[in-house]
Amino acid sequence: MTTYLISIAALVAVFAIATIRPINMGILGFAAAFIVGGWVSGIPIEDIQAFFPGDMFLVVFGITLLFGIARANGTIDLIMEAALKLVRGKPWAIVWLMFMLAAALMALGSVLAVGMLAPIAMPLAKKYGIDPLLMGMMLSHGALGAAFSPVTVYSVGIGELTQDQGIDVSPVLLFIVPFALNLCLAAVLFLVRGRSLLRATGPVGAEDPVAASDGTPGADGMPAPRTPVAGATVTRPRPATLVTDPVIGKASGTRPAVENWLTFASIGGLLVAALLGIDVGVTSVCLGALLLLASPKTVEPAMKAISWPAVLLVCGIVTYMGVLTENGTLAYVGQKAIEIPWPVLTALVMLVAVGLISAVGSSFGIILISLPLAAPLLAGGELGAVGFVVALAFCATVVDVSPFSTNGVIVLASAQVEDTKRFQRQMLRYCGYIVAVAPLLAWATIVLPTSA
């Protein structure tokens, strides 16, 4: 009993310290693993080291390396340039474009999708008179909706944890359901804060940067008509050839180089490999190595782009969870959970708790912690195991709209607003809405229909 209580207290301390101090939770997880595992539980150090998740290390390292190369060699810029041309002059379409681009990047394995897009999307919001909160949250919902693509670290982590517990979760179901729920939330947000964009037709208060930059008139030879948007004057952009894109800040119409085509092929190859069941970590590392050989100049910026904090977080927490499994703490907690009446109500409480904690902490860390804790409860048979896993995954990630999350911090830092504190308060209020609504939504639409 004492060992269990110490183990749980250490887990709470790891999370609390990482929340109020700028210390990576993974470092604390490693320390707790060796202290609680070796000193309190008497587990040999060699056994604790064996809990290190080498496969997850390769996944996070390889994927962030691959997309670091894609950003360094300009492939991401080419994707953005092509995408912006599709929606020129339509602010509402720009919003949904950013949602879909964030989803696409995350679905392809880029855990830094919001980080890649926010520095472009938030200036676009100011230029086109788009509510910055709308733009930032649409970016986040797009990325979070695709967080469980088969090639993401979230999907791989959940897949391994559920397999260990004998739960067969379809990767397609795990991907589609959170995406659909995030899409619903994004649609509601757009209806509330973005309806006026349906009447807008261009940049606010200035001539179209595309048409005006080289003096080219509109296709009809007349000045572009103006439409009022939120009290400002807007113009309709006109198709034109352009030397420099004012938003991206690079040459527009640049043809992809050989290294860009190789990067496109590598990203596509990674997705295909994941769908075929080939190890994502090994594939991404090999493809990254080939790209670095083809373009040595990207080595330094690509290495800097590797998400070492995410690598450390995953490995530290998983190592500590191995200790809790070995010393019997997870089995003890799970047994106590089974004794609680009304498992369906217990599931709702767990979803709310996961959402609250994840809003100020690590969503992936919470998933890694909560799934093993919930295993005995699911073993009772009254709850649909697959439905609960999917609902928990959704609740743990959707709250990453919080300004305390990585996504939220990037959006806040990239927003071009006069009052940053006011914008942060807006983000907090929206996060509170999500924390209140998301668990109920997941419980009602996923858990209840799949439970006995």
Side-chain angles (χ1 to χ4, degrees), residues 88-176:
R88 189 184 301 127
K90 300 176 182 177
W92 69 267
I94 293 175
V95 172
W96 284 104
L97 169 67
M98 292 301 163
F99 174 91
M100 295 307 299
L101 280 177
L105 286 174
M106 179 66 88
L108 290 172
S110 175
V111 294
L112 303 176
V114 173
M116 291 179 180
L117 297 177
I120 296 174
M122 300 311 288
L124 275 175
K126 183 178 181 179
K127 180 178 292 292
Y128 283 85
I130 300 169
D131 179 0
L133 181 67
L134 172 65
M135 180 65 91
M137 298 303 98
M138 291 291 279
L139 269 179
S140 294
H141 279 303
L144 298 172
F148 299 99
S149 158
V151 302
T152 64
V153 63
Y154 291 96
S155 180
V156 173
I158 288 180
E160 293 188 359
L161 286 174
T162 53
Q163 285 179 5
D164 292 342
Q165 297 163 17
I167 301 174
D168 185 17
V169 180
S170 167
V172 176
L173 187 67
L174 181 62
F175 173 60
I176 290 178

Side-chain angles (χ1 to χ4, degrees), residues 92 134 189-200:
W92 69 267
L134 172 65
L189 176 63
F190 182 83
L191 290 175
V192 173
R193 303 188 71 99
R195 284 177 297 175
S196 63
L197 297 178
L198 296 173
R199 300 187 298 274

Side-chain angles (χ1 to χ4, degrees), residues 162 167-170 173-174 177-178 181 347 351 371 378 382-395 439 441-451:
T162 53
I167 301 174
D168 185 17
V169 180
S170 167
L173 187 67
L174 181 62
V177 174
L181 294 179
L351 294 179
L371 276 180
L378 299 177
E382 295 185 46
L383 282 179
V386 174
F388 180 78
V389 169
V390 174
L392 187 145
F394 166 72
C395 291
L441 178 63
W443 185 70
T445 60
I446 306 174
V447 176
L448 285 182
T450 58
S451 298

Side-chain angles (χ1 to χ4, degrees), residues 129-332:
I130 300 169
D131 179 0
L133 181 67
L134 172 65
M135 180 65 91
M137 298 303 98
M138 291 291 279
L139 269 179
S140 294
H141 279 303
L144 298 172
F148 299 99
S149 158
V151 302
T152 64
V153 63
Y154 291 96
S155 180
V156 173
I158 288 180
E160 293 188 359
L161 286 174
T162 53
Q163 285 179 5
D164 292 342
Q165 297 163 17
I167 301 174
D168 185 17
V169 180
S170 167
V172 176
L173 187 67
L174 181 62
F175 173 60
I176 290 178
V177 174
F179 182 82
L181 294 179
N182 272 281
L183 180 60
C184 290
L185 293 173
V188 172
L189 176 63
F190 182 83
L191 290 175
V192 173
R193 303 188 71 99
R195 284 177 297 175
S196 63
L197 297 178
L198 296 173
R199 300 187 298 274
T201 56
V204 173
E207 291 295 329
D208 174 358
V210 173
S213 61
D214 59 356
T216 303
D220 53 7
M222 300 295 291
R226 299 179 181 274
T227 304
V229 180
T233 301
V234 301
T235 61
R236 184 179 71 238
R238 303 286 190 174
T241 57
L242 182 65
V243 175
T244 302
D245 187 299
V247 176
I248 299 177
K250 65 183 291 296
S252 178
T254 303
R255 293 181 180 275
V258 174
E259 60 187 11
N260 299 127
W261 288 116
L262 289 175
T263 306
F264 287 135
S266 296
I267 294 174
L270 178 64
L271 181 60
V272 171
L275 294 175
L276 294 176
I278 302 173
D279 189 278
V280 172
V282 173
T283 303
S284 59
V285 170
C286 292
L287 290 173
L290 290 175
L291 290 176
L292 291 177
L293 287 173
S295 181
K297 65 181 181 181
T298 62
V299 172
E300 184 175 352
M303 293 303 293
K304 290 180 179 179
I306 295 173
S307 184
W308 293 115
V311 173
L312 191 58
L313 167 68
V314 170
C315 295
I317 290 298
V318 171
T319 300
Y320 186 59
M321 295 309 294
V323 169
L324 296 189
T325 301
E326 183 70 16
N327 69 8
T329 299
L330 293 184
Y332 170 78

Side-chain angles (χ1 to χ4, degrees), residues 65-89:
L65 171 65
L66 184 60
F67 275 83
I69 297 170
R71 188 164 184 84
N73 65 22
T75 301
I76 298 299
D77 288 338
L78 289 171
I79 295 173
M80 287 301 305
E81 180 185 327
L84 286 174
K85 289 180 179 178
L86 297 175
V87 294
R88 189 184 301 127

Side-chain angles (χ1 to χ4, degrees), residues 397-416:
T397 52
V398 70
V399 294
D400 275 356
V401 297
S402 163
F404 301 117
S405 70
T406 302
N407 288 340
V409 168
I410 295 174
V411 168
L412 182 62
S414 303
Q416 296 190 354

